Amino acid sequence: MPDTFAAFSALVPPGVGTAPIGAVAVYAIVPSEADSVRVLDNLRSYAARRGWHVPAGCAATDVGSLGANLSRSGWPRVRRAVQAQAVTGLVVPCFAHIGYRWADWNRERAWLLRNGLFVVATDPSELPVGVSPEEVRHP
């Protein structure tokens, strides 16, 4: 039988570094601080069911509503975990938690891809990435 771990390891881009395959960060924007534990527990459970684990310090939330101009302290923690090569993936409730406006999502998505991460939304149909009228380009 082939060594599955070695086969998957060969697929990891060189820039990812030493993070073990299956080490993921979890992140969400929550309506209130009281929701943080429940939402992070749900994201951790989702990851665990797939054989992934969340290293210490790699679970973060920001309080507010999607689409609001938040002063995000949780998202920079995720970015630092990525830069420290502590994770190879990111689990979110939906992609809009990363960037609600198309320009924000596209910028963050490009950054995550440049750093070799996979991103999984537990319910990608929950809320699509928002596009404001000024972001729509007409030919």
Side-chain angles (χ1 to χ4, degrees):
M1 174 161 276
D3 182 351
T4 305
F5 183 77
F8 281 121
S9 296
L11 298 175
V12 177
V16 170
T18 59
I21 292 180
V24 297
V26 294
Y27 174 76
I29 296 175
V30 295
S32 70
E33 194 65 44
D35 295 310
S36 292
V37 172
R38 177 185 54 79
V39 171
L40 289 177
D41 283 349
N42 288 342
L43 293 173
R44 282 187 184 101
S45 293
Y46 181 92
R49 286 191 305 272
R50 281 145 186 82
W52 305 331
H53 70 280
V54 180
C58 294
T61 60
D62 285 309
V63 177
S65 61
L66 293 174
N69 288 328
L70 300 175
S71 174
R72 302 203 302 178
S73 60
W75 183 246
R77 286 180 48 206
V78 171
R79 289 179 69 105
R80 285 192 297 274
V82 171
Q83 291 167 330
Q85 299 178 340
V87 295
T88 58
L90 173 63
V91 178
V92 293
C94 69
F95 298 122
H97 288 248
I98 296 170
Y100 181 75
R101 293 172 189 83
W102 177 252
D104 297 336
W105 158 248
N106 204 35
R107 181 186 65 247
E108 295 300 331
R109 177 184 163 276
W111 183 84
L112 290 164
L113 290 173
R114 277 195 310 274
N115 283 278
L117 263 72
F118 68 87
V119 180
V120 174
T122 59
D123 185 2
S125 64
E126 176 186 315
L127 182 66
V129 175
V131 179
S132 66
E134 51 275 352
E135 290 176 305
V136 175
R137 303 220 191 280
H138 297 284

